[in-house]
Amino acid sequence: MASPRDEQSERQATVSSRDRAAAASDGLGRRIRQARLAKDWTQGELAGTEFSVGYISRIESGERCPSHRTLTRLAARLGVTVEYLNTGADRDMRLARHSDVDQAELMLAGGDVQAAMAAAAALVDSCALKPFPDLERRARLVHALAYEATGDIHAAIMALEDLDEAFTDWEPDAEIGIALTRCYREVGEPAKAIVAGTRVLSALKSRGLDGATEAIRLSVTIAGAHADQGDLGQAIRIARRAIGAAEAVESPRALASAYWNASVYESEAGRLDRAVKLSTRALAILESGESTRTVARLRQQVALFMIVHSEGDLAEARGQLELASRELRWSSANPIDAAHNSYVWGRLHLREGSPEAALDCATRISPEVQNLDPLMATEMRVLEVMALVAAGRPYAEAFADAVALLTLMGTERGTAQLWFNLGETASSVGDVERTVSAYRSAAMGLGAAQVLSPTQDRKAFSMSLG
């Protein structure tokens, strides 16, 4: 342990029965325990590398009276004041603010994104949470996640970066790490995602928490960033290890996250049968308790796997999409979620032989989405080309627009697949010039050997829960 001297000195000065009774009646140990449980920490997490678990247990039970130095350290770790631990004087205020933050989190989980954002901002701006840093941290995280839920990913990143910087003296938070890693991926910055996620994961491992649910969820989010960079093998290995870790700790949420992400990477590797099985397992777990929006997004993924699979069950895909559409209306879905739902419907209509219906889906995109997610807007334009060709209608103008958008997007994994889709579409009608041009652009993005499967749809499907 890092501070055995503190424990040794206090152990030598064994608390008398009278002092023990005073400590117990004073409630010091009880307040430490309550503050620990409010952070959802185990005694081991509170002990960290400074103290032993047994020492923390004895403090909480009133068998040890910590020194002022120890108490100051514990208060800092718990995000409360020493005064509160000693006297409980600000207990009522803390309970009230704790309830306020809980309400903001419930608003976000229930889909009332704007109300959650306003409530969290009001709590932070009023400085009402300053005496309770742990609650302030939670409120600022709600504020950042609300930005993400509206589709303003850059605002979410700035809020998360500011939050991370404001608590540099604290141990990294897994939820903040997951959110920041996920958002960096969403804006096409996988290298930053890997750095941010790995830093937090290393901190969790140093505390012996690498098998915890949050650590497993973070690891598969990092795996997605590796996939975005083109290192699909590394992504698959991380995801498979995550499945093993989740099975070992019997964590349903971690297991669902691992299944979900592994299904994406298996799909990109061309193993659609395995992808369908993994995503279906994830869905079965999530249906019993995850947020409505998360379940809807996974239904979209399951449906798309079935649509692009040559022997996929289109009736099952339609059923999943119908459920997803209803769930998105009930949840905190943002405009990008809705646009992606239209995209998957369009792909289904194409497989069902209804190009006009697919065309309607492809053109159902708001200017807001075009500004917030250019890749999503580009995907819809490529879908429009596919639908026009399938309907036997003129497609040259739409094709030129898609090419212009893809050229502006540069050469990342998602755009390479879209170039490949354009090439396949042009090839289906014998348009040799456009076919060659599109395939060449796809090959420049990833290398010809990696652009062989029409199943590699959109990096945003590689998502972590939360």
Side-chain angles (χ1 to χ4, degrees):
M1 296 298 168
S3 303
R5 189 174 302 170
D6 287 346
E7 290 189 37
Q8 181 66 27
S9 62
E10 290 173 25
R11 190 177 297 115
Q12 290 171 350
T14 305
V15 183
S16 68
S17 59
R18 183 180 58 188
D19 290 336
R20 257 199 311 274
S25 62
D26 184 48
L28 173 63
R30 175 174 51 79
R31 283 187 288 275
I32 290 175
R33 181 176 184 276
Q34 288 175 339
R36 173 176 63 78
L37 293 177
K39 291 176 71 68
D40 198 25
W41 275 10
T42 64
Q43 289 181 336
E45 289 175 284
L46 176 56
T49 57
E50 292 185 88
F51 310 105
S52 68
V53 174
Y55 181 55
I56 295 298
S57 177
R58 288 191 290 274
I59 290 176
E60 291 188 356
S61 66
E63 295 178 15
R64 288 287 186 274
C65 281
S67 66
H68 179 74
R69 180 183 179 189
T70 296
L71 196 59
T72 300
R73 291 179 180 176
L74 292 177
R77 287 177 56 76
L78 291 168
V80 299
T81 63
V82 173
E83 179 187 7
Y84 167 68
L85 292 181
N86 271 324
T87 68
D90 54 3
R91 179 175 180 274
D92 291 341
M93 184 184 298
R94 177 178 175 79
L95 288 175
R97 299 292 80 80
H98 197 294
S99 177
D100 291 338
V101 177
D102 285 346
Q103 285 296 319
E105 289 178 335
L106 287 172
M107 290 174 188
L108 182 61
D112 198 347
V113 177
Q114 294 301 330
M117 182 180 292
L123 285 169
V124 174
D125 293 343
S126 68
C127 297
L129 301 179
K130 283 299 180 185
F132 318 108
D134 61 319
L135 297 182
E136 180 184 0
R137 200 184 199 191
R138 282 177 55 199
R140 291 179 65 168
L141 177 58
V142 171
H143 194 241
L145 294 178
Y147 272 127
E148 184 188 6
T150 66
D152 193 346
I153 309 301
H154 288 290
I157 288 174
M158 290 189 289
L160 289 166
E161 288 176 337
D162 291 345
L163 172 55
D164 205 28
E165 185 176 349
F167 289 86
T168 51
D169 293 337
W170 288 46
E171 291 176 347
D173 182 272
E175 292 296 341
I176 297 173
I178 291 170
L180 191 54
T181 304
R182 180 176 63 238
C183 287
Y184 277 140
R185 291 187 57 213
E186 284 293 315
V187 297
E189 299 182 31
K192 281 190 175 182
I194 292 171
V195 170
T198 302
R199 177 177 63 85
V200 177
L201 188 60
S202 296
L204 293 174
K205 287 182 177 179
S206 70
R207 292 158 56 195
L209 300 175
D210 46 317
T213 297
E214 292 76 10
I216 295 170
R217 291 171 53 216
L218 178 56
S219 69
V220 294
T221 310
I222 296 170
H226 282 289
D228 295 341
Q229 283 193 323
D231 193 351
L232 188 57
Q234 176 73 345
I236 290 174
R237 289 190 293 273
I238 293 175
R240 288 186 180 180
R241 288 193 186 101
I243 290 175
E247 289 174 340
V249 298
E250 298 182 349
S251 170
R253 195 177 190 209
L255 192 55
S257 179
Y259 281 152
W260 182 339
N261 286 272
S263 71
V264 176
Y265 314 140
E266 296 290 354
S267 169
E268 294 194 355
R271 293 186 282 269
L272 272 174
D273 286 338
R274 183 172 174 81
V276 171
K277 289 178 182 177
L278 289 168
S279 58
T280 302
R281 288 177 189 172
L283 182 58
I285 296 172
L286 294 179
E287 284 178 321
S288 64
E290 192 52 63
S291 73
T292 306
R293 178 192 178 209
T294 299
V295 173
R297 293 162 80 191
L298 184 51
R299 289 194 197 283
Q300 292 175 349
Q301 179 173 312
V302 172
L304 187 59
F305 285 160
M306 293 176 176
I307 291 165
V308 299
H309 197 302
S310 60
E311 299 179 1
D313 187 338
L314 297 186
E316 175 65 16
R318 173 174 283 275
Q320 292 292 352
L321 275 179
E322 288 172 347
L323 286 171
S325 298
R326 287 198 293 271
E327 288 164 344
L328 287 174
R329 288 195 295 271
W330 301 334
S331 71
S332 58
N334 59 44
I336 296 172
D337 291 326
H340 196 267
N341 198 52
S342 293
Y343 172 80
V344 182
W345 271 111
R347 293 296 300 266
L348 176 61
H349 290 315
L350 282 178
R351 275 295 309 276
E352 292 178 333
S354 303
E356 295 295 339
L359 187 60
D360 179 62
C361 290
T363 54
R364 197 185 305 156
I365 183 169
S366 67
E368 183 180 11
V369 172
Q370 295 180 27
N371 293 329
L372 292 173
D373 192 341
L375 181 57
M376 182 76 259
T378 305
E379 285 182 324
M380 294 295 260
R381 199 60 168 162
V382 172
L383 176 61
E384 181 182 357
V385 174
M386 296 166 68
L388 287 170
V389 169
R393 295 171 57 174
Y395 65 92
E397 182 179 349
F399 195 101
D401 288 344
V403 167
L405 288 172
L406 283 167
T407 302
L408 288 173
M409 291 293 296
T411 55
E412 61 174 77
R413 190 176 188 85
T415 58
Q417 181 56 48
L418 292 175
W419 280 117
F420 183 67
N421 290 345
L422 279 181
E424 273 200 322
T425 303
S427 176
S428 69
V429 290
D431 190 337
V432 177
E433 182 178 351
R434 289 189 174 91
T435 299
V436 172
S437 176
Y439 280 156
R440 182 180 295 117
S441 294
M444 287 174 61
L446 289 179
Q450 289 180 280
V451 191
L452 296 175
S453 169
T455 67
Q456 296 178 20
D457 281 285
R458 202 180 194 298
K459 66 178 182 180
F461 267 139
S462 178
M463 298 175 287
S464 68
L465 303 183

